[in-house]
Amino acid sequence: MRKIIINGIDGNFGNLVAKNIQKLVPDTQLIFTVPTVKKLSEYSGSAVQVKVADFNSRENLTAVFKDASKVLLISMPFVGAKRRAAHQNAIAACVAANVKQVIYTSVISASNPLNPSIENIDHGYTESIIQNSPLDYIILRNSLFAEAFITDYFRLVAAGERVAAKNMGEGRVAFISRRDAALAAAAALNNTLLHREILNINGRVPLTFKEFLNIGNKVTGNDIEYQQQTDEEMYAYFDKIKVPRTTDGDFSKSPLKETSEGMVSFGTTVREGYLDIPVNDFSTLTNCQPRTLKYMFEHAADFQLGARHPTEK
């Protein structure tokens, strides 16, 4: 019998994957993990096993992952050495536990050494460890989640502002919804034909940020304009509205749930063309089309970023 493990089901992305995989796989074949005992209750009435996974402990992870058919490693919601150490623990545990295949949620262009995104350091590092291990794998390189930008759009509307300042220039990105990326992860978990594959999970159409705003404005009747900024101007703006630079910062007064370092460097990545990748494996993997940006704006309540769910101790 298959044993499929989804980590971090207490988080926004992991919770969506969990709901999708239950439509594809019997509960008896599923193990969901959470970082603390306090978050064990949601699936207590089902046949799904729920276990505590401590990403600071290879020994704990090895026991949890033992003889699993597939393990979904969702990239940790913090950036830097702490995340790389957690990912390394997970991959080493997969090897020690005789896991048959690991599925990792990465980002578009993660293997490009010139990609300027601060996130790329962690993703490229993790991909390299996986590919140089004896593990079978599927790496899902997700495009930027539309939810982050839709949430920010409505933040501007609520504040009565008419200008969206970004450092994305005229670069293009095929925004994907987090819901569709989670569907792709569930499909990969249920797939028995893919081995040592890297897939690009893009939205339907690559768009500039101005085109993104035009769609939002047309759907909502608002008139938010695009103001191109330099990286330095964006850092100054985020500092002014109390957005922390790193995931170790204080988010209590921030109107955004992402770091300025992450957002600015992703903006640079878009501007310089690293996310304008024409290859899209979403439809082949899931047998359906990704949601359009128009649809997401029309159903905006379902496409908000949500609260942060850091899982480190």
Side-chain angles (χ1 to χ4, degrees):
M1 183 175 72
R2 289 192 299 174
K3 183 192 292 186
I4 295 175
I5 298 177
I6 295 94
N7 293 296
I9 57 99
D10 59 306
N12 293 311
F13 188 83
N15 186 258
L16 289 170
V17 177
K19 287 178 168 52
N20 277 300
I21 196 65
Q22 285 187 287
K23 299 173 185 176
L24 302 172
V25 174
D27 285 356
T28 53
Q29 297 180 13
L30 299 174
I31 297 174
F32 296 163
T33 81
V34 288
T36 67
V37 176
K38 295 178 182 178
K39 299 178 178 180
L40 288 174
S41 60
E42 183 177 352
Y43 294 94
S44 58
S46 73
V48 175
Q49 294 185 62
V50 183
K51 298 183 179 182
V52 172
D54 180 0
F55 280 79
N56 296 308
S57 169
R58 292 189 187 183
E59 293 75 14
N60 166 262
L61 293 177
T62 300
V64 172
F65 296 166
K66 184 173 174 57
D67 295 325
S69 307
K70 299 204 178 207
V71 170
L72 176 64
L73 174 58
I74 299 170
S75 57
M76 299 288 111
F78 39 91
V79 179
K82 187 186 296 185
R83 174 157 66 171
R84 294 193 293 274
H87 288 182
Q88 188 172 38
N89 282 338
I91 295 158
C94 284
V95 174
N98 192 37
V99 170
K100 302 302 184 293
Q101 186 177 68
V102 63
I103 295 166
Y104 175 60
T105 60
S106 188
V107 294
I108 296 288
S109 289
S111 65
N112 191 323
L114 301 179
N115 185 332
S117 168
I118 192 69
E119 301 260 353
N120 189 61
I121 298 171
D122 296 347
H123 290 297
Y125 172 88
T126 305
E127 286 192 12
S128 178
I129 292 176
I130 292 171
Q131 290 176 293
N132 286 284
S133 78
L135 293 167
D136 189 11
Y137 60 81
I138 301 173
I139 293 172
L140 301 174
R141 288 181 176 166
N142 293 323
S143 187
L144 295 186
F145 287 171
E147 284 83 350
F149 296 87
I150 292 172
T151 299
D152 190 49
Y153 178 94
F154 285 102
R155 177 187 67 84
L156 295 172
V157 170
E161 299 184 32
R162 294 193 57 190
V163 173
K166 299 289 181 187
N167 64 325
M168 296 164 70
E170 297 299 324
R172 303 192 309 167
V173 55
F175 297 96
I176 188 82
S177 76
R178 182 167 55 197
R179 289 173 180 256
D180 282 331
L183 175 62
L189 285 164
N190 191 44
N191 189 294
T192 60
L193 302 178
L194 294 174
H195 302 282
R196 300 184 74 83
E197 291 279 358
I198 297 176
L199 305 180
N200 291 318
I201 307 302
N202 270 317
R204 289 198 191 191
V205 181
L207 300 168
T208 65
F209 187 64
K210 182 176 181 180
E211 290 169 333
F212 171 95
L213 290 177
N214 288 343
I215 292 171
N217 289 338
K218 186 174 181 179
V219 171
T220 66
N222 293 298
D223 187 22
I224 304 296
E225 298 178 358
Y226 178 29
Q227 183 179 85
Q228 295 192 32
Q229 299 276 281
T230 65
D231 295 354
E232 293 72 22
E233 288 170 330
M234 288 305 302
Y235 275 121
Y237 168 72
F238 287 131
D239 288 345
K240 181 179 178 181
I241 64 174
K242 302 187 184 305
V243 175
R245 292 227 172 180
T246 72
T247 50
D248 293 326
D250 179 9
F251 285 86
S252 62
K253 297 180 180 178
S254 173
L256 305 173
K257 303 306 177 186
E258 297 184 290
T259 67
S260 61
E261 192 174 58
M263 289 186 286
V264 172
S265 63
F266 261 130
T268 309
T269 301
V270 173
R271 186 179 69 237
E272 295 183 358
Y274 290 97
L275 299 189
D276 191 359
I277 302 297
V279 177
N280 187 5
D281 300 302
F282 177 86
S283 297
T284 302
L285 178 61
T286 65
N287 199 33
C288 62
Q289 290 291 322
R291 294 168 175 87
T292 65
L293 194 59
K294 178 176 180 289
Y295 176 90
M296 287 184 258
F297 268 106
E298 289 171 342
H299 302 82
D302 294 329
F303 296 93
Q304 297 297 303
L305 191 59
R308 283 177 53 80
H309 294 279
T311 58
E312 77 272 32
K313 293 182 178 179

